[in-house]
Amino acid sequence: MKTIIEPFRIKSVEPIRMTTREERADLLKAAKYNLFKLHSDDVIIDLLTDSGTSAMSAAQWGAVMTGDESYAGAPSFYRFEAAVRDLMDFKHIIPTHQGRAAEHLLFNLIAKPGHIIPSNTHFDTTRGNIEAAGAEAVDLPVAEGKVPSLDHPFKGNMDLEALEALLREKRDSVPAVMMTITNNAGGGQPASLENIRAAAQIAQHYRKPFFIDGCRFAENAWFIKLREPGQQDRSIKAIIHDIFEVADGMTMSAKKDAFANIGGWLALRDDALAERARTLLIQTEGFPTYGGLAGRDLDAIAQGLSEIIDEDYLRYRVRTNAYIAEKLDAMGVPVVKPAGGHAVFVDARAFLPHIPPLEYPGQALACALYEMGGIRGCEIGTVMFGRKPDGSEEPARMDLVRLAMPRRVYTQSHADYIVEVFEELAASKDHLRGLKIVKEPPMMRHFTSEFEPL
Ligand code: F0G
């Protein structure tokens, strides 16, 4: 069959509240043109994030009921630990309440002022945690990853020459090498197994630990299976095993590729580092067998991990985004190519060339999508990355709008609706205006900044 259908039936539904364009214009104004400030029941299709927004399966809800809430040594923890270890064989698996808590633990322990931590591209919370420790977060994506319109199978790859040069020149300043799979901020693009292995090898040569931010590991593994020569006949599990085998540790948000609504973990091989991490965990998150989570959350993660590696699911998952991206591309809306694993990224800078980067074309497009069709996306551009730690501002490398697909939540008719909203928007896009920021916090400003249209 040609159509890749949703490989699930819907047992339980949530209503969507319909709104009019006039209502949304008022709601947008009241939210100071920051979509994070909207009430989610004023949103028709919520593509703000794929994080924590997955539809859990009947089996996950069943597992929730068997969650054990003992403070220490709950069976839920051991089920969680076994499920993680089944995919990623790390010695120490430390639960956290979400991914950024794992990052906080890790960088609190390994990053100091003057340090530099390279990655293919750090996600914003990773960057925030590195900078909060006084270190510098450096992005080293491959050149192909910087050109939105360029089709390339592994745009999430690390620039290995740049990594080698950094380590050669500043060896003593680099405490660790990081790699994000898939590369979220760079368009949800995967890294190849070959590139992950090579980056790990360079790190090892300079005796630096190699950490993977594995939030979307299953999507990345699926892309490896689809696109990397020699990987087609291998199981997703075998590919995942190979990815993590070369890492000294990982940070994880279970809100992505574990189908959970909350949770995460820090995994390590080093005993001494793990002991320090657990001590800090007790201080900030909770006892090491629950790490800020309820036992039922740990069980939801354990079950979710067994579902995320299902190839029928992964085929459908990646196809949803490709379907939307192909239709947008066909109507001339510039999208990051190929479509990412968890999202479609629209190149707002190219779509709205009359809005300069410092007037935030991504924010302007995200606001217009909401006003026009009640779709909530997320700016990933100059608003998110343009403010430097010293308070100065410069355009980000790209101005994108991310339409992140919650897992197993929306159907193909929702996808068709999204395409239709773009059709209407494309007809009037030259009238869209940029914005200015009227209030902003010192870091991670996209969450709370307030804007006014220019
Ligand atoms: N790393 C990556 C690559 C992420 O995408 C995220 C979260 C995190 C770390 C942090 O995990 O949210 O559990 O604390 N990304 C979400 C997003 C928020 O919308 O892309 P968290």
Side-chain angles (χ1 to χ4, degrees):
M1 292 297 149
K2 203 159 83 262
T3 306
I4 298 169
I5 62 168
E6 289 87 356
F8 48 81
R9 299 182 295 183
I10 298 167
K11 179 179 232 163
S12 175
V13 298
E14 285 179 292
I16 293 175
R17 193 177 84 79
M18 295 299 168
T19 48
T20 63
R21 184 169 177 168
E22 291 67 38
E23 279 174 300
R24 292 192 294 269
D26 290 343
L27 291 162
L28 193 57
K29 192 168 177 208
K32 316 282 188 201
Y33 300 89
N34 185 333
L35 303 178
F36 284 96
K37 291 185 196 279
L38 288 171
H39 291 209
S40 63
D41 51 5
D42 293 331
V43 175
I44 295 178
I45 308 268
D46 203 348
L47 309 179
L48 185 63
T49 181
D50 63 321
S51 180
T53 51
S54 297
M56 292 218 293
S57 65
Q60 278 181 293
W61 284 113
V64 162
M65 286 306 291
T66 63
D68 182 300
E69 305 305 337
S70 302
Y71 190 91
S76 296
F77 169 74
Y78 295 104
R79 287 192 284 266
F80 157 82
E81 189 187 42
V84 175
R85 200 168 278 143
D86 187 41
L87 296 174
M88 303 108 178
D89 192 15
F90 290 107
K91 182 165 180 198
H92 303 282
I93 295 158
I94 300 167
T96 59
H97 79 275
Q98 56 183 84
R100 67 198 71 185
E103 294 162 8
H104 177 72
L105 291 177
L106 180 65
F107 295 117
N108 222 281
L109 297 174
I110 67 165
K112 303 272 176 300
H115 276 169
I116 300 169
I117 298 174
S119 173
N120 49 344
T121 304
H122 293 282
F123 185 64
D124 60 343
T125 58
T126 321
R127 174 172 289 277
N129 274 299
I130 291 171
E131 288 173 358
E136 190 189 343
V138 172
D139 294 339
L140 305 175
V142 283
E144 292 88 345
K146 297 179 199 168
V147 189
S149 59
L150 186 87
D151 210 327
H152 181 277
F154 291 108
K155 288 172 94 173
N157 279 351
M158 175 95 86
D159 182 338
L160 299 170
E161 276 176 31
L163 177 64
E164 170 97 50
L166 177 74
L167 282 161
R168 204 170 43 238
E169 285 155 28
K170 302 197 172 157
R171 181 177 193 154
D172 294 341
S173 308
V174 179
V177 174
M178 186 101 193
M179 196 140 170
T180 314
I181 61 165
T182 58
N183 183 354
N184 181 2
Q189 302 292 325
S192 69
L193 188 53
E194 186 187 16
N195 185 265
I196 295 168
R197 282 177 169 152
Q201 230 167 32
I202 293 170
Q204 196 184 27
H205 176 78
Y206 288 92
R207 298 187 195 293
K208 305 296 178 186
F210 179 68
F211 294 105
I212 294 178
D213 172 343
C215 291
R216 299 177 180 85
F217 69 92
E219 288 164 13
N220 201 104
W222 176 252
F223 281 124
I224 288 174
K225 184 176 165 97
L226 281 187
R227 299 179 183 167
E228 190 158 345
Q231 300 294 329
Q232 284 63 47
D233 296 330
R234 304 190 63 217
S235 72
I236 288 296
K237 216 166 154 177
I239 295 171
I240 292 168
H241 179 268
D242 286 358
I243 292 173
F244 291 97
E245 191 185 22
V246 298
D248 296 287
M250 72 179 291
T251 55
M252 176 69 190
S253 169
K255 302 173 76 172
K256 281 83 169 176
D257 273 359
F259 283 132
N261 299 131
I262 197 71
W265 65 83
L266 172 66
L268 298 166
R269 295 195 199 282
D270 185 282
D271 293 339
L273 188 59
E275 193 176 322
R276 290 168 63 214
R278 286 199 178 98
T279 304
L280 190 56
L281 183 85
I282 292 172
Q283 189 191 325
T284 59
E285 290 277 297
F287 190 73
T289 60
Y290 74 87
L293 293 169
R296 54 180 169 269
D297 300 324
L298 293 166
D299 269 303
I301 295 169
Q303 175 60 30
L305 286 174
S306 75
E307 297 174 11
I308 201 85
I309 56 174
D310 176 54
E311 295 199 7
D312 289 331
Y313 160 73
L314 288 168
R315 183 176 297 109
Y316 136 82
R317 168 73 175 157
V318 163
R319 180 60 201 149
T320 307
N321 296 317
Y323 175 84
I324 296 170
E326 280 165 19
K327 298 212 163 198
L328 294 186
D329 186 39
M331 72 168 86
V333 175
V335 289
V336 174
K337 287 183 194 170
H342 67 298
V344 175
F345 289 72
V346 180
D347 184 348
R349 197 179 286 175
F351 188 55
L352 305 173
H354 60 289
I355 303 181
L358 292 180
E359 292 177 12
Y360 315 123
Q363 193 68 17
L365 175 57
C367 287
L369 282 170
Y370 176 69
E371 190 181 320
M372 181 82 70
I375 297 169
R376 176 159 70 167
C378 181
E379 194 261 11
I380 301 217
T382 302
V383 175
M384 189 179 272
F385 297 119
R387 192 189 151 110
K388 303 291 136 196
D390 67 3
S392 64
E393 192 181 34
E394 40 182 84
R397 205 156 38 74
M398 302 190 261
D399 276 296
L400 306 176
V401 170
R402 184 184 73 169
L403 306 173
M405 279 293 152
R407 292 168 182 76
R408 304 189 292 207
V409 170
Y410 292 115
T411 65
Q412 186 169 345
S413 87
H414 293 117
D416 289 330
Y417 173 83
I418 294 163
V419 172
E420 254 178 60
V421 172
F422 266 97
E423 247 162 31
E424 226 173 286
L425 192 68
S428 59
K429 74 184 181 76
D430 295 342
H431 303 297
L432 294 183
R433 288 173 298 160
L435 300 129
K436 66 174 180 193
I437 293 182
V438 291
K439 193 170 166 211
E440 65 179 310
M443 63 195 304
M444 290 196 257
R445 65 180 181 175
H446 52 291
F447 291 121
T448 54
S449 286
E450 297 182 0
F451 301 83
E452 271 174 20
L454 287 166

